[in-house]
Amino acid sequence: MALSQASNVLEKVLGHGDNAVTEQDVTNPSRNPEKYGDSSGETMRALAWMGKNKVEVVEAPKPRVFEDRDVILRVTGSTICGSDLHLYHGAIVELQKGDILGHEFCGRVDSMGPAVKNLKQGDRVVASFQIACGECMYCKKKLSSQCERTNANSIENVMYGGRTAGMFGYSHLTGGFAGGQAEYVRVPNGDVNLLKLPDDVPDEKGLYLSDVLATSWNCVVDTGVKEGDVVAIWGAGPIGQMCAEMSFTNGAKRVIIIDGGPAAWRLDFVRSKLPKVETLNFTDLPRGTTVTSRLKEMEHGGPDVALECVAGEYPKGWAHYFELLLGFETDTSEIVNEMITSVKSFGRCGVTGVYAGFTNHFNIGSLMERGIRLIGNGQAPVHLYWESLLQMIREGKTDPLAMVTHRVRVEEMDEVYRIFDARADNMQKVFVETKFSDKRAEGTPELTTYK
């Protein structure tokens, strides 16, 4: 919390860059209702960050169009992502009290600016979690997550040697944009950051094109999973589950998924959806047996490919626990080190879980001596994949409903965060409905209420 506050102060001192073509730091219309709020005075429910491990459903002004390429959506579906928990825990810097969260959402067009020519009122659309300009060097290649013109944050530029695109509901570090865990949301550059959904793809499927499907597919193809590979996946959450499915799609011979502790139930859940998956519960390993040694027992030399689908904020040992607590590092290297030591020599390791800054005790020796390829998969470029993934949904080649366990109401999102964080109620992936949602699609979970 203190680091986040200090980062906010430092950003003010440094000042934003001059690269952005859309206004920054609009994380809640209530920051300036006269400028950002709808003239009707209509309000909405939205989920806001209120401090470390604290979120609240608040009342905020409905957003308005104030840039020519803006689109205002009536949100018909959103969800909670494992990376939202990094915000919840305060692990991502430059959060401010009242920031509206949520980077995965779909909806219907409510209104739009005069420069938006490819949409009309009432269109069903899904948003990419990143905000692209559609015109810069990266956007021309559909590498939308690295857009050069939607995030002017200076701290990120200094930390990373460059900026990511702006992102919905993901702190001022990524531009400061209000998220979609709300009844309305403003989409900057809406003419390029929204994909129309066809009638045969309900919101309960189309929603997940916003992030989880593209992120999983990017992890698999960017790390180079190919015919005959043995793949090990750290983390049996929604990303890990879809990476397992997509590894098989790309020809993997075996997929081993690793998890444990309070989340161990997810191993059985994933196996119930993908019977070919093999599982490894690290909490059940006998003394003296490590994840690396067990994987080498399961496959001579270890897997060909390792995929990290967890994140860097979860320490397994006391050393990293205290180093994180005391601010000596922002991310633990334990899982990445396990991956490096587990794969075959010249194996490939892809990192898709969120890592925010710096880590200690990184096993660079094994990386170099054994020729391990360590690949930062980056924030997935949704625009590169979402049209082909939509077609895969329509053809039945991937089914996002396999990971969806709950349907919940936006009014109860504060409680949903608590449950999701605790890995409780067998909650894998949720669909969040609003007052604008369509009738529940056949074959999708019934509504669960917690209040």
Side-chain angles (χ1 to χ4, degrees):
M1 185 70 174
L3 181 60
S4 193
Q5 291 172 339
S7 299
N8 284 318
V9 172
L10 180 59
E11 182 67 26
K12 288 182 179 179
V13 172
L14 293 173
H16 287 336
D18 60 2
N19 58 301
V21 296
T22 184
E23 186 155 347
Q24 306 288 282
D25 302 313
V26 190
T27 53
N28 189 324
S30 64
R31 304 274 189 221
N32 187 341
E34 292 75 21
K35 182 175 183 180
Y36 304 132
D38 191 80
S39 60
S40 68
E42 184 178 352
T43 60
M44 65 175 182
R45 293 184 179 93
L47 192 283
W49 187 83
M50 304 303 284
K52 185 176 180 180
N53 297 325
K54 185 178 181 182
V55 292
E56 291 179 8
V57 177
V58 300
E59 188 174 276
K62 173 187 174 181
R64 65 179 285 267
V65 169
F66 63 87
E67 293 178 340
D68 286 351
R69 296 174 67 189
D70 283 352
V71 174
I72 306 300
L73 294 186
R74 301 190 300 272
V75 177
T76 57
S78 66
T79 187
I80 182 173
C81 175
S83 55
D84 286 323
L85 295 180
H86 311 320
L87 301 169
Y88 183 60
H89 299 150
I92 303 297
V93 298
E94 290 198 70
L95 282 159
Q96 296 178 16
K97 186 176 181 179
D99 287 352
I100 296 174
L101 304 184
H103 59 272
E104 300 174 86
F105 55 90
C106 60
R108 291 186 181 271
V109 174
D110 182 74
S111 60
M112 68 197 88
V116 181
K117 306 297 185 185
N118 59 337
L119 296 170
K120 64 181 185 300
Q121 192 175 36
D123 278 347
R124 289 180 59 239
V125 292
V126 60
S128 63
F129 74 85
Q130 61 241 202
I131 301 164
C133 74
E135 298 161 350
C136 72
M137 171 178 70
Y138 293 110
C139 287
K140 287 178 180 177
K141 299 176 183 178
K142 294 192 174 184
L143 301 176
S144 48
S145 61
Q146 304 303 319
C147 175
E148 298 175 297
R149 303 202 302 161
T150 56
N151 180 11
N153 187 274
S154 293
I155 289 178
E156 189 184 61
N157 192 41
V158 171
M159 284 177 63
Y160 299 159
R163 299 178 176 94
T164 64
M167 297 179 193
F168 289 105
Y170 217 76
S171 90
H172 297 259
L173 187 71
T174 61
F177 297 92
Q181 290 170 356
E183 293 175 328
Y184 288 98
V185 65
R186 167 183 164 261
V187 180
N189 304 337
D191 53 328
V192 296
N193 292 306
L194 296 169
L195 179 70
K196 291 182 183 179
L197 292 175
D199 291 341
D200 60 342
V201 176
D203 287 349
E204 291 91 341
K205 292 184 178 182
L207 163 65
Y208 303 103
L209 291 164
S210 57
D211 179 0
V212 58
L213 295 180
T215 294
S216 302
W217 186 257
N218 182 64
C219 179
V220 169
V221 300
D222 189 54
T223 312
V225 174
K226 63 183 187 302
E227 191 75 31
D229 276 342
V230 176
V231 179
I233 299 172
W234 274 254
I239 298 291
Q241 178 182 346
M242 297 312 295
C243 279
E245 178 198 291
M246 291 169 176
S247 292
F248 284 127
T249 300
N250 281 274
K253 178 175 64 177
R254 298 174 67 192
V255 174
I256 304 163
I257 197 161
I258 303 144
D259 213 321
W265 62 267
R266 301 191 303 192
L267 294 169
D268 291 332
F269 176 80
V270 173
R271 191 164 48 194
S272 74
K273 303 296 182 178
L274 295 167
K276 292 190 294 183
V277 162
E278 301 167 60
T279 59
L280 195 168
N281 184 341
F282 64 78
T283 49
D284 286 346
L285 293 175
R287 184 179 297 273
T289 300
T290 64
V291 170
T292 292
S293 64
R294 179 54 56 87
L295 285 171
K296 290 183 183 291
E297 291 173 8
M298 297 174 73
E299 171 66 20
H300 179 68
D304 301 287
V305 178
L307 304 178
E308 200 282 341
C309 301
V310 182
E313 69 158 306
Y314 302 109
K316 296 173 73 175
W318 286 109
H320 283 281
Y321 173 83
F322 283 112
E323 288 175 13
L324 286 166
L325 184 67
L326 296 172
F328 295 160
E329 64 179 0
T330 61
D331 304 276
T332 174
S333 59
E334 290 160 292
I335 290 176
V336 175
N337 284 342
E338 281 184 355
M339 293 163 60
I340 290 170
T341 57
S342 295
V343 294
K344 291 182 175 71
S345 295
F346 301 104
R348 305 180 301 285
C349 299
V351 180
T352 266
V354 171
Y355 285 71
F358 303 95
T359 189
N360 300 326
H361 316 297
F362 175 64
N363 194 346
I364 195 170
S366 180
L367 183 83
M368 181 272 156
E369 297 289 351
R370 300 178 56 238
I372 307 303
R373 274 63 173 160
L374 181 61
I375 301 161
N377 300 127
Q379 297 289 351
V382 172
H383 293 197
L384 185 63
Y385 303 121
W386 62 353
E387 290 174 337
S388 58
L389 288 167
L390 174 59
Q391 191 59 30
M392 287 175 65
I393 292 174
R394 300 183 78 179
E395 294 174 359
K397 294 179 179 178
T398 187
D399 182 12
L401 287 178
M403 63 181 167
V404 181
T405 54
H406 292 69
R407 184 186 187 98
V408 298
R409 300 166 63 232
V410 70
E411 293 89 340
E412 299 186 357
M413 278 297 285
D414 50 351
E415 182 66 10
V416 172
Y417 262 74
R418 186 192 65 76
I419 294 166
F420 190 68
D421 182 45
R423 309 292 194 269
D425 199 29
N426 289 356
M427 184 180 285
Q428 179 77 331
K429 192 70 172 174
V430 304
F431 179 88
V432 182
E433 69 173 31
T434 74
K435 63 183 181 181
F436 299 121
S437 298
D438 292 335
K439 182 180 178 182
R440 182 180 65 86
E442 186 177 352
T444 65
E446 298 274 0
L447 179 67
T448 299
T449 58
Y450 293 104
K451 294 183 177 179

Coordinates of all heavy atoms in Angstrom, one line a residue, residues 205-246:
K205 N -19.9 -17.2 -23.8 CA -18.7 -17.7 -24.5 C -17.9 -16.5 -25.0 O -16.6 -16.5 -24.9 CB -19.1 -18.6 -25.6 CG -19.7 -19.9 -25.2 CD -20.0 -20.8 -26.4 CE -20.5 -22.2 -26.0 NZ -20.7 -23.1 -27.1
G206 N -18.5 -15.6 -25.6 CA -17.8 -14.5 -26.3 C -17.0 -13.6 -25.3 O -16.0 -13.1 -25.7
L207 N -17.5 -13.5 -24.1 CA -16.8 -12.7 -23.1 C -15.3 -13.0 -23.0 O -14.5 -12.1 -22.9 CB -17.5 -12.9 -21.7 CG -16.7 -12.4 -20.5 CD1 -16.5 -10.9 -20.5 CD2 -17.4 -12.9 -19.2
Y208 N -15.0 -14.3 -23.0 CA -13.7 -14.7 -22.7 C -12.6 -14.5 -23.8 O -11.5 -14.8 -23.6 CB -13.7 -16.2 -22.2 CG -14.7 -16.3 -21.1 CD1 -16.0 -16.9 -21.3 CD2 -14.4 -15.8 -19.8 CE1 -16.9 -16.9 -20.2 CE2 -15.3 -15.9 -18.8 CZ -16.5 -16.4 -19.0 OH -17.4 -16.5 -17.9
L209 N -13.1 -14.0 -24.9 CA -12.2 -13.5 -26.0 C -11.4 -12.3 -25.5 O -10.4 -11.9 -26.1 CB -12.9 -13.2 -27.3 CG -13.5 -14.4 -28.0 CD1 -14.6 -13.9 -29.0 CD2 -12.4 -15.2 -28.7
S210 N -12.0 -11.6 -24.5 CA -11.3 -10.4 -24.0 C -10.0 -10.6 -23.4 O -9.1 -9.7 -23.5 CB -12.3 -9.7 -23.0 OG -12.5 -10.6 -21.9
D211 N -9.7 -11.8 -22.9 CA -8.4 -12.0 -22.2 C -8.1 -13.5 -22.2 O -7.1 -13.9 -22.8 CB -8.4 -11.4 -20.8 CG -7.1 -11.7 -20.0 OD1 -6.2 -12.3 -20.6 OD2 -7.0 -11.2 -18.9
V212 N -8.8 -14.3 -21.4 CA -8.3 -15.6 -21.0 C -8.0 -16.5 -22.2 O -7.0 -17.2 -22.2 CB -9.3 -16.3 -20.0 CG1 -10.7 -16.4 -20.6 CG2 -8.8 -17.6 -19.6
L213 N -8.8 -16.5 -23.2 CA -8.6 -17.3 -24.4 C -7.4 -16.9 -25.1 O -6.5 -17.7 -25.5 CB -9.8 -17.4 -25.3 CG -11.1 -18.0 -24.7 CD1 -12.2 -18.0 -25.8 CD2 -10.8 -19.5 -24.3
A214 N -7.3 -15.6 -25.4 CA -6.1 -15.0 -26.1 C -4.8 -15.2 -25.3 O -3.8 -15.5 -25.9 CB -6.3 -13.6 -26.4
T215 N -4.9 -15.0 -24.0 CA -3.7 -15.2 -23.1 C -3.2 -16.6 -23.1 O -2.0 -16.9 -23.2 CB -4.0 -14.7 -21.7 OG1 -4.3 -13.3 -21.8 CG2 -2.9 -15.0 -20.8
S216 N -4.2 -17.6 -23.1 CA -3.8 -19.0 -23.1 C -3.2 -19.4 -24.4 O -2.2 -20.1 -24.5 CB -5.0 -19.8 -22.7 OG -5.6 -19.5 -21.5
W217 N -3.9 -19.0 -25.5 CA -3.4 -19.3 -26.8 C -2.0 -18.7 -27.1 O -1.1 -19.4 -27.6 CB -4.4 -18.8 -27.9 CG -4.0 -19.3 -29.3 CD1 -3.5 -18.5 -30.2 CD2 -4.2 -20.6 -29.8 NE1 -3.3 -19.2 -31.4 CE2 -3.8 -20.5 -31.2 CE3 -4.7 -21.8 -29.4 CZ2 -3.8 -21.6 -32.0 CZ3 -4.8 -22.9 -30.2 CH2 -4.3 -22.8 -31.5
N218 N -1.8 -17.5 -26.6 CA -0.5 -16.8 -26.8 C 0.6 -17.5 -26.0 O 1.7 -17.7 -26.5 CB -0.6 -15.4 -26.3 CG 0.7 -14.6 -26.5 OD1 1.2 -14.4 -27.6 ND2 1.3 -14.2 -25.4
C219 N 0.3 -18.0 -24.8 CA 1.2 -18.7 -24.0 C 1.7 -19.9 -24.7 O 2.9 -20.2 -24.8 CB 0.6 -19.0 -22.7 SG 1.7 -20.0 -21.5
V220 N 0.8 -20.7 -25.3 CA 1.1 -22.0 -25.9 C 1.9 -21.8 -27.2 O 2.9 -22.4 -27.5 CB -0.2 -22.8 -26.2 CG1 0.0 -24.0 -27.1 CG2 -0.8 -23.2 -24.8
V221 N 1.4 -20.9 -28.1 CA 2.0 -20.7 -29.4 C 3.3 -19.9 -29.3 O 4.3 -20.2 -30.0 CB 1.1 -20.1 -30.5 CG1 -0.2 -21.0 -30.6 CG2 0.6 -18.7 -30.1
D222 N 3.4 -18.9 -28.4 CA 4.6 -18.1 -28.3 C 5.7 -18.9 -27.7 O 6.9 -18.7 -28.0 CB 4.3 -16.9 -27.4 CG 5.4 -15.9 -27.4 OD1 5.8 -15.5 -28.5 OD2 5.9 -15.5 -26.3
T223 N 5.4 -19.9 -26.8 CA 6.4 -20.7 -26.2 C 6.8 -21.9 -27.2 O 7.8 -22.5 -27.0 CB 6.0 -21.3 -24.8 OG1 5.4 -20.2 -24.1 CG2 7.1 -21.9 -24.1
G224 N 6.0 -22.1 -28.2 CA 6.3 -23.0 -29.2 C 5.9 -24.5 -29.0 O 6.7 -25.4 -29.4
V225 N 4.8 -24.7 -28.3 CA 4.3 -26.1 -28.1 C 4.0 -26.7 -29.5 O 3.4 -26.1 -30.3 CB 3.1 -26.1 -27.3 CG1 2.5 -27.5 -27.2 CG2 3.4 -25.6 -25.9
K226 N 4.6 -27.9 -29.7 CA 4.5 -28.5 -31.1 C 4.2 -30.0 -30.9 O 4.1 -30.5 -29.8 CB 5.7 -28.3 -31.9 CG 7.0 -28.9 -31.3 CD 8.2 -28.6 -32.2 CE 9.4 -29.3 -31.8 NZ 9.8 -29.1 -30.4
E227 N 4.0 -30.6 -32.1 CA 3.6 -32.0 -32.1 C 4.6 -32.9 -31.4 O 5.8 -32.7 -31.5 CB 3.6 -32.5 -33.6 CG 3.0 -33.9 -33.8 CD 1.5 -33.9 -33.8 OE1 0.9 -32.9 -34.1 OE2 1.0 -34.9 -33.4
G228 N 4.1 -33.7 -30.5 CA 4.9 -34.7 -29.7 C 5.5 -34.1 -28.4 O 6.2 -34.9 -27.7
D229 N 5.3 -32.9 -28.1 CA 5.9 -32.3 -26.9 C 5.3 -32.8 -25.6 O 4.1 -33.1 -25.6 CB 5.8 -30.8 -26.9 CG 6.8 -30.0 -27.7 OD1 7.9 -30.7 -28.0 OD2 6.6 -28.9 -28.0
V230 N 6.1 -32.9 -24.6 CA 5.6 -33.1 -23.2 C 5.6 -31.7 -22.6 O 6.6 -31.1 -22.5 CB 6.4 -34.1 -22.4 CG1 5.9 -34.2 -21.0 CG2 6.4 -35.5 -23.1
V231 N 4.4 -31.3 -22.1 CA 4.2 -29.9 -21.5 C 3.9 -30.0 -20.1 O 3.0 -30.8 -19.7 CB 3.1 -29.2 -22.3 CG1 2.9 -27.8 -21.7 CG2 3.4 -29.1 -23.8
A232 N 4.6 -29.2 -19.3 CA 4.2 -29.1 -17.8 C 3.7 -27.7 -17.6 O 4.3 -26.7 -18.1 CB 5.4 -29.3 -16.9
I233 N 2.6 -27.6 -16.9 CA 1.9 -26.3 -16.7 C 1.8 -26.0 -15.2 O 1.3 -26.8 -14.4 CB 0.5 -26.3 -17.3 CG1 0.6 -26.5 -18.8 CG2 -0.2 -25.0 -17.0 CD1 -0.7 -26.7 -19.5
W234 N 2.4 -24.9 -14.8 CA 2.3 -24.5 -13.3 C 1.0 -23.7 -13.2 O 0.9 -22.6 -13.7 CB 3.5 -23.7 -12.9 CG 4.7 -24.5 -12.5 CD1 5.1 -24.7 -11.2 CD2 5.6 -25.3 -13.3 NE1 6.2 -25.5 -11.1 CE2 6.5 -25.9 -12.4 CE3 5.6 -25.6 -14.6 CZ2 7.5 -26.8 -12.9 CZ3 6.7 -26.4 -15.1 CH2 7.6 -27.0 -14.2
G235 N 0.1 -24.2 -12.4 CA -1.2 -23.5 -12.1 C -2.3 -24.1 -12.9 O -2.4 -24.2 -14.1
A236 N -3.3 -24.5 -12.1 CA -4.5 -25.2 -12.7 C -5.7 -24.3 -12.6 O -6.9 -24.7 -12.6 CB -4.8 -26.5 -11.9
G237 N -5.5 -22.9 -12.7 CA -6.6 -22.0 -12.8 C -7.1 -21.9 -14.2 O -6.8 -22.8 -15.1
P238 N -7.9 -21.0 -14.5 CA -8.5 -20.9 -15.9 C -7.5 -20.8 -17.0 O -7.6 -21.5 -18.0 CB -9.3 -19.6 -15.8 CG -9.7 -19.4 -14.4 CD -8.5 -19.9 -13.6
I239 N -6.4 -20.0 -16.8 CA -5.4 -19.9 -17.8 C -4.6 -21.3 -18.0 O -4.4 -21.8 -19.1 CB -4.3 -18.8 -17.5 CG1 -5.0 -17.4 -17.5 CG2 -3.2 -18.8 -18.5 CD1 -5.5 -16.9 -18.8
G240 N -4.3 -21.9 -16.9 CA -3.6 -23.2 -16.9 C -4.5 -24.2 -17.6 O -4.0 -25.0 -18.4
Q241 N -5.8 -24.2 -17.2 CA -6.7 -25.2 -17.8 C -6.8 -25.0 -19.4 O -6.8 -26.0 -20.1 CB -8.1 -25.0 -17.2 CG -9.2 -25.9 -17.8 CD -10.6 -25.7 -17.2 OE1 -10.7 -25.0 -16.2 NE2 -11.6 -26.2 -17.9
M242 N -7.0 -23.7 -19.8 CA -7.1 -23.5 -21.2 C -5.7 -23.8 -22.0 O -5.7 -24.2 -23.1 CB -7.6 -22.1 -21.5 CG -9.0 -21.8 -21.0 SD -10.2 -23.1 -21.4 CE -10.3 -23.0 -23.2
C243 N -4.6 -23.5 -21.3 CA -3.3 -23.8 -21.9 C -3.2 -25.3 -22.1 O -2.6 -25.8 -23.1 CB -2.2 -23.3 -21.0 SG -1.8 -21.6 -21.2
A244 N -3.7 -26.1 -21.1 CA -3.7 -27.6 -21.3 C -4.5 -28.0 -22.5 O -4.0 -28.8 -23.4 CB -4.3 -28.2 -20.0
E245 N -5.7 -27.5 -22.6 CA -6.5 -27.8 -23.8 C -5.8 -27.4 -25.1 O -5.8 -28.2 -26.1 CB -7.9 -27.1 -23.7 CG -8.8 -27.3 -24.9 CD -9.9 -26.3 -25.1 OE1 -10.8 -26.4 -24.2 OE2 -9.8 -25.5 -26.0
M246 N -5.3 -26.2 -25.1 CA -4.7 -25.7 -26.3 C -3.3 -26.3 -26.6 O -2.9 -26.4 -27.8 CB -4.6 -24.2 -26.2 CG -5.9 -23.5 -26.3 SD -5.9 -21.7 -25.8 CE -7.6 -21.3 -26.1

